[in-house]
Amino acid sequence: MLGSLHTLSKFKLLGFEGDWLWQQLECPCLGEHLSIGVQLGFAVILFVQFVLKCIVQISDYLRGGRKTTDQASENRLIGRNLSGFYKASVACTIFLCVIHVLMFFALLYGIGSRCRAEISVFSSEIIHVVAWGVAVVAVCGIVRNKSVKYPWLLRGWWICSFFLAIIRVALYEKFGDGNQVRAYTYAQLVCFLPLIFLLALSVYGKTGVVFVVHNGLADPLLHENCSENEEDKRDSAYERATLLQLVTFSWLNPLFALGYERRLEHEDIPDVCRNDSAKFVSNAFTEKLDFVMKKNGGVDASIYKAIYLFCRKKAAINAGLAVLSAALSYVGPYLIDDFVNFLTEKKGRSLSSGYLLALAFLSAKVIETIAQRQWIFEARRLGIHLRGALASHIYKKGIRLSSRSRQSHTSGEIINYMSVDIERITDFAWYLNMIWMLPVQISLAIYILYTNLGLGSLGAIATTLIIMSCNIPLTKVLKDYQKKIMEAKDNRMKATSEVLRNMKILKLQAWDHQYLQKIESLRKVEHDWLWKSSKLTAFTAFLFWGSPTLISLVTFGLCTLLGIELTAGKVISALATFQMLQDPIFSLPDVLSAFIQGKVSVDRVASFLQVDEIQQDAIVYVPKDQTEFDIEIENGIFSWTPESVNPSLDQINLKVKRGMKVAICGTVGSGKSSLLSCILGEIEKLSGTVKISGTKAYVPQSPWILSGNIKENILFGNEYEHTKYNRTITACALTKDLELFPCGDLTEIGERGINMSGGQKQRIQIARAVYQDADIYLLDDPFSAVDAHTGTQLFKDCLMGALNEKTIIYVTHQVEFLPAADLILVMQNGRIVQVGGFEELLKQNFGFEALVGAHNQALESILSVEHSSRISQVQKREEELNGDSITNADPLNSKIEQNNSTQPMMEKKGKLIQEEERKKGSIGKEVYLSYMTRINGGIFVPIIVLAHTLFQALQIASNYWMTWACPTTSETEPKVGMNIMLLVYFLLAVGSSLGLLLRSLLLAVIGLQTAQKFFKDMLYSIFHAPMAFFDTTPTGRILNRASGDQSTLDLAMAVKLGWCAFSVIRLLGTIVVMSQVAWEVFAILVPVTAACIWYQHYYTPTAREVGRLAGIHQAPILHHYAESLAGATTIRAFNHEDRFFSTNLRLIDAFSKTWFYNNSVMEWLYFRLNALSHFVFAFSLALLVSLPEGTIDPGNAGLAISYGINLNWLQASVIWNICSAQRKIISVERILQYSKIKSEAPLVIEDCRPPSNWPQEGSITFKNLQIRYADHLPDVLKDISCVIPGKKKVGVVGRTGCGKSTLIQAIFRIVEPRGGSIVIDNVDICKIGLHDLRSRLSIIPQDPLLFEGTVRGNLDPLEQYSDQEIWEALDKCQLGGLVREKEMRLNSPVVENGENWSVGQRQLFCLGRALLKQSNILVLDEASASVDSATDSIIQGIIRQEFENQTVITIAHRIHTVIDSDLVLVLSDGRIAEFDSPGKLLERDDSFFSKLVKEYSMRSQGLNSLKEH
């Protein structure tokens, strides 16, 4: 480019005198010379291509591979369909070859050319004949090569031939001298028609030939291959586009036409092309990682090297286009002085030289625009590649994390990797090109300044270097700030994610306000760092926006000192250069900031991708025919924390034969679940061997349910088989549940199974395992969450029925399920201390006897109550027992309820999780107003606009002043002295700088305050939302707003809206300057502006909807990732990693295509707006050249041109900033959606506060209570009416899903009554505040949840109790000894979800909370389901002792926990079936409770007999 500028310099020195270029055009052999040059160029390219092809073929041959030939033999061409276009192209090419042969013979007879140089004439025509002969061979060879596109070299030749023909005809007509030349011209004209056709084909590119190929592979594989090919087919408009469509982005026209006609849906947007798909880029990135790792000798691969190798080719092409664009942008400032000189000396210069100058201006701008739009577009595509590659690898890493790595990387952190960090890395892919552009821009600016100002340019160089050197300390400080911001954001997102997962327990315990303050405090830390960063950013904005003025002051001052003459042309050229120099200087902090953010993000992602994964060699898989054992562990030592002195499992030796039933029992924390984990390969193996023979299925202790319907959860990616499916449903006791569900097995399950009871979730995941038809089943306490009848049925029909021939290892605390086992393992302190059958272990008088003894004691208490209450024994028919509503049969009333309630729901198609809300139509002005007026009613907005207007007006005034004060030529006297000129310029510069400083500070301050206000509004709205909102809203949607959308408000929203106003002000200033010089510009400016407005109006509907679709298609990626992380153990156990990874790739593609088209539609608009602005600029130049001398002042004209050079950029900038603001404002719109959630009842109602000692008695009265979870769902509780006396113990029993947990939620007002009331101690709970209600009650929930933090923090988050009280509570709940063994005692860590504590221990922690709180009403919701019988017995004793004078409501599936209650409430299908004392209920043999007790007491004997059968 410097060479071209040097040529222009020579051109300038000539001053166009004698019209040098036009003299060259007078050469009679110009056409021949051009033809020879072009054709020789093509010959060289053809030769190089031939040599490269030969080298490739030779290298293939040397590698020994006639693979190509062999493959060709397998793929035989069995047919082809030649299109009409292809046939016509062959005919046209042959015709043109014949014409040139005839023209050659004509030359032999002296007919044809005006050129007298015979060598040039004959050489030109001979090369033409040869070239067209080669073209004929190439066209005919397309069929042989089975090509669907014309070769690019052939297409280039056709295009060049067309333009060469036009040039030669024009020259022959102008300089022809007779009939002979005219005959030659006629021959050229004859060639025009085929050349035009070939030109169109070269642009289109495709031959239209269809080839039918037979693959020699075996027929059975043919269908599978075809299926894969069908899957790879993508409807990509971009991939089908021709060269012209790619340049003009017209391949987007169909999408715009559809978007303008109606609202776009996701299906309307075409797919990304294959090379942009997540699968393709993920595989490509994996190859680069493997290559780098192999090069490093198997050590961890450098992510930086892999990213470099992955991006380098595309990045190099983008860099070339970016450098070309940057270089061409300086052609205008370089030629301004020439243009001013032309206008000054118009009398002595021809108009042709002026028009040639205008053409140079315009040509540079056109090529610059094409190069600029392409590099920006391709940079965005590169961003898609990086996003797809990194997101897929982060996902793949996430589901392979080891347990230790999982504890050190929480869900919130990983979500930030997926949302924030990847976004910053893709942004850097765009900023990367500016790194190559900066040195080119600065070098060309210095060259132009030196050409115009000589040594005066040293001032500009020095000032530029000083300003840019300021970036060194600023960059360091910004980098530190960015790290702190990301750390603070990680902590906030970690806490937010944990709170959202556990929102139900927070509301039950009345801790929501406490955790709200915790998130606010974390946000304050983040806000403080954002505030520091914003202040520094405002200062850098002031510094770099004011840099052109500062540079010009120093430069002009130095020129004055050195005596360098300043003319209007030189000053205007220098000012234009300073403005152009502003771009690299202004971009530098953005580039450095993006570089810093990108590096920090790459480091974070690289660190995550290199953490430990689960051991791949922990398990040895043995074929079935080589062993009789399905599971074999020898001398196994395993540990969750390898650095710990005491391993989690020690000296494990186990052999399980095929088909055996193995039970594992032991006290809480003895290592039962860890033993299953070592079989799964989840726990780190320190020594020993684990051998597995067969496929595995796993049922975890805490149910893991995917969002979707019940059927999808059971099938779990397998094909649907009707018989097998129904058999699974029956075996898992789900028949009755599916009949009661509104849409059967198509009923949708909420996030984490939120709308299912614990027993239903457990049975669904058992059904998932059964349907897999695996060889080995690992069941972790599968009966803890189900009632006695359902547990018995599950054991009989599922474990001993459907899975009778399978190998099963099951953990259980329920001794009645042990006798049927072939082998029982007793765990204690991580060791297997006893092994044997049930009877054998009883004789050993060791730990097992204690477990069985506790169970027998509980059983005896049941039998004694049953015996003492028995009045008569009446035999009932067996079918009557089977007709019990607590079993799997249908009572009459449930059928009636089902018939009445399911019809409306069928219309809803079982939907619980609704599609994410997407606003329709244009973004309402209320969204903009809401953002701008959020702080002080928007009073600062006009001040910011006025400050920038002042800055812009004073800048224009200073430029006018310099143009007016400087002479137009060296002979003209200056109008004022140099000192006065610089003084006035300095004062104007200071005034503009003050306006700029005010604008920068206000924008930073108000922008961050507004973001903070939006955050608080959304946070309070979410925390006060009813539980139904969290049941139906995936956590990913909320986290996406709290993470990505909030980051947009923190860092970008104010800047984007500000730039809308600033760019409009700059554009208006440019128009004023241009129109002041030549008002005639308005003649073209008005219609062009109208066209721009129309284009923007046409563009907006499509861009808006694509932007919204892009916004809502990122949340599913995060949601799917969060679910996969939670169920990673199950996914690995079922060996479904590949299926989940494929789902992740599909979700990435769904987002990528919206993101790709979101950026592409902007480029479509920019290209058209730039084209229109070039038209205005060309008209202005032609007008200035054409106006008579003296009509305009040359200096002012030069100033107008200096502003007009940037017209295309300014015009595009206005639209770009408006469109960018429209895309960013979607984040405001989305946050506003969650800032206006319908709130639950007030936390405190001052007029209706209960007494401080309420509830004193603890009596609870239910009056006609009706509960439903949503308006479109049926009632869950129906007309519940009863009175629970104060200080009584009440047991609540019933079949799983009958409404027990819903009753508890109603007491805590988690679900508001649809009808009826609940009165506690004469206070209607619906009339008091929620905090007053929930803080006075205690609950031990069904799902034991712990928060990340410490033991103390989990027991006493409100810090209300002393250490002594906490220790007493720990001792009472059997955790005191365990916590004392920990090094940090009460400050011992609790990781996310409490995963470093067993489920049983977590339940004991929840008991400890209740013991500390000592409320007069205590609710136990399956409080001891996950503990052994001995521990359960101790817990029940503690509860009886500690809560002797309190009302205790117990939901339990273990009958002995409710048998000694004062009252028993039996629920069936949401109604009260029975409510009386246990003794009275047992007096009636036909009572539900009596049947339940009988079933439980007979279960041990019945289950023990199963083994004998």
Side-chain angles (χ1 to χ4, degrees), residues 3-218:
S4 64
L5 286 173
H6 184 64
T7 306
L8 284 171
S9 178
K10 290 186 190 177
F11 193 49
K12 167 186 168 183
L13 293 174
L14 287 172
F16 297 102
E17 293 181 4
D19 294 334
W20 177 82
L21 184 60
W22 293 102
Q23 291 176 11
Q24 299 306 308
L25 295 176
E26 294 291 342
C27 176
C29 297
L30 180 61
E32 281 73 12
H33 293 164
L34 282 174
S35 179
I36 292 171
V38 170
Q39 291 174 90
L40 286 177
F42 274 96
V44 170
I45 295 172
L46 188 64
F47 177 74
V48 170
Q49 193 179 35
F50 174 75
V51 170
L52 290 175
K53 189 174 181 179
C54 290
I55 292 173
V56 170
Q57 289 181 345
I58 291 171
S59 63
D60 286 343
Y61 182 79
L62 292 176
R63 277 182 296 202
R66 297 183 173 268
K67 296 178 182 177
T68 306
T69 307
D70 296 340
Q71 188 174 355
S73 64
E74 292 180 0
N75 298 304
R76 299 189 304 276
L77 183 67
I78 61 174
R80 60 176 176 241
N81 297 322
L82 302 181
S83 66
F85 287 132
Y86 172 73
K87 294 176 182 177
S89 67
V90 174
C92 289
T93 308
I94 294 173
F95 175 77
L96 290 168
C97 183
V98 171
I99 290 293
H100 281 285
V101 170
L102 295 175
M103 290 171 69
F104 173 75
F105 284 111
L107 287 174
L108 293 176
Y109 291 97
I111 302 173
S113 178
R114 63 185 176 83
C115 179
R116 301 293 174 241
E118 293 186 0
I119 295 177
S120 297
V121 174
F122 279 96
S123 298
S124 173
E125 203 57 49
I126 290 172
I127 295 175
H128 256 116
V129 172
V130 173
W132 281 108
V134 172
V136 170
V137 174
V139 174
C140 295
I142 285 173
V143 175
R144 184 184 70 254
N145 297 328
K146 298 191 289 292
S147 176
V148 295
K149 283 189 175 184
Y150 292 105
W152 64 270
L153 194 61
L154 179 63
R155 293 161 64 185
W157 167 245
W158 285 345
I159 294 171
C160 289
S161 297
F162 174 78
F163 288 108
L164 280 174
I166 292 177
I167 293 171
R168 294 180 73 174
V169 168
L171 291 174
Y172 292 160
E173 280 296 307
K174 184 175 178 66
F175 304 108
D177 57 356
N179 290 330
Q180 290 181 342
V181 175
R182 189 169 297 277
Y184 193 79
T185 303
Y186 289 151
Q188 289 282 2
L189 289 174
V190 170
C191 296
F192 265 150
L193 189 59
L195 282 173
I196 291 173
F197 175 75
L198 294 177
L199 174 69
L201 277 185
S202 63
V203 173
Y204 179 67
K206 296 181 180 178
T207 62
V209 181
V210 178
F211 299 97
V212 182
V213 178
H214 174 68
N215 194 318
L217 297 174

Side-chain angles (χ1 to χ4, degrees), residues 517-822:
Q517 291 179 333
K518 178 182 177 181
I519 292 180
E520 281 188 312
S521 65
L522 292 172
R523 170 64 182 180
K524 186 179 185 305
V525 174
E526 182 185 6
H527 177 268
D528 290 343
W529 289 114
L530 283 167
W531 170 234
K532 292 177 182 179
S533 179
S534 297
K535 286 192 294 185
L536 190 60
T537 304
F539 173 73
T540 55
F542 163 72
L543 179 64
F544 295 109
W545 267 89
S547 58
T549 305
L550 180 62
I551 294 171
S552 59
L553 268 173
V554 174
T555 304
F556 294 150
L558 184 61
C559 288
T560 304
L561 290 175
L562 296 177
I564 298 173
E565 188 177 20
L566 296 175
T567 62
K570 291 180 178 180
V571 167
I572 294 168
S573 178
L575 288 173
T577 306
F578 294 149
Q579 289 295 327
M580 298 298 293
L581 195 59
Q582 181 189 18
D583 187 43
I585 294 176
F586 181 64
S587 299
L588 186 60
D590 288 341
V591 171
L592 292 174
S593 177
F595 174 77
I596 293 164
Q597 293 179 7
K599 186 180 185 307
V600 170
S601 293
V602 171
D603 288 341
R604 284 157 50 84
V605 171
S607 174
F608 176 70
L609 292 180
Q610 291 173 353
V611 298
D612 293 336
E613 298 181 3
I614 58 170
Q615 291 175 297
Q616 300 298 325
D617 58 349
I619 298 175
V620 177
Y621 290 94
V622 182
K624 284 187 175 184
D625 56 355
Q626 295 182 12
T627 180
E628 62 175 331
F629 298 104
D630 273 354
I631 301 170
E632 190 173 357
I633 305 175
E634 294 182 1
N635 301 319
I637 301 177
F638 308 87
S639 181
W640 293 111
T641 53
E643 64 274 4
S644 175
V645 178
N646 299 318
S648 304
L649 294 174
D650 192 13
Q651 294 302 318
I652 302 298
N653 289 280
L654 176 66
K655 291 185 177 182
V656 179
K657 288 186 178 181
R658 193 163 294 124
M660 284 184 68
K661 307 294 182 287
V662 179
I664 304 174
C665 61
T667 57
V668 172
S670 58
K672 302 181 295 298
S673 297
S674 297
L675 183 59
L676 294 185
S677 296
C678 80
I679 299 172
L680 292 169
E682 294 295 322
I683 185 171
E684 188 162 345
K685 183 179 72 175
L686 303 182
S687 65
T689 59
V690 180
K691 297 179 181 179
I692 301 294
S693 177
T695 57
K696 306 184 299 293
Y698 173 59
V699 177
Q701 189 172 9
S702 298
W704 176 67
I705 303 295
L706 282 168
S707 297
N709 59 46
I710 296 171
K711 185 175 182 179
E712 290 169 347
N713 269 275
I714 294 174
L715 295 181
F716 204 57
N718 292 310
E719 292 293 329
Y720 174 74
E721 296 179 26
H722 182 73
T723 305
K724 179 181 175 183
Y725 182 79
N726 288 338
R727 190 166 55 244
T728 301
I729 295 295
T730 304
C732 296
L734 282 169
T735 306
K736 175 64 178 298
D737 297 273
L738 296 185
E739 290 172 352
L740 292 177
F741 285 142
C743 293
D745 61 356
L746 298 180
T747 299
E748 188 170 353
I749 303 175
E751 188 177 19
R752 304 185 307 278
I754 199 79
N755 59 326
M756 298 281 160
S757 71
Q760 288 167 340
K761 288 187 285 187
Q762 189 76 294
R763 283 178 286 131
I764 287 172
Q765 68 168 357
I766 292 173
R768 175 173 63 208
V770 172
Y771 194 81
Q772 298 299 305
D773 196 23
D775 300 313
I776 303 169
Y777 284 82
L778 305 174
L779 313 177
D780 196 351
D781 204 4
F783 312 112
S784 61
V786 297
D787 58 79
H789 289 287
T790 307
T792 303
Q793 184 179 354
L794 272 176
F795 196 87
K796 289 180 178 179
D797 296 345
C798 185
L799 270 70
M800 309 305 290
L803 303 180
N804 187 42
E805 297 180 358
K806 306 291 185 181
T807 301
I808 302 175
I809 299 183
Y810 61 97
V811 173
T812 184
H813 291 300
Q814 293 163 290
V815 177
E816 57 268 26
F817 294 120
L818 295 178
D822 299 308

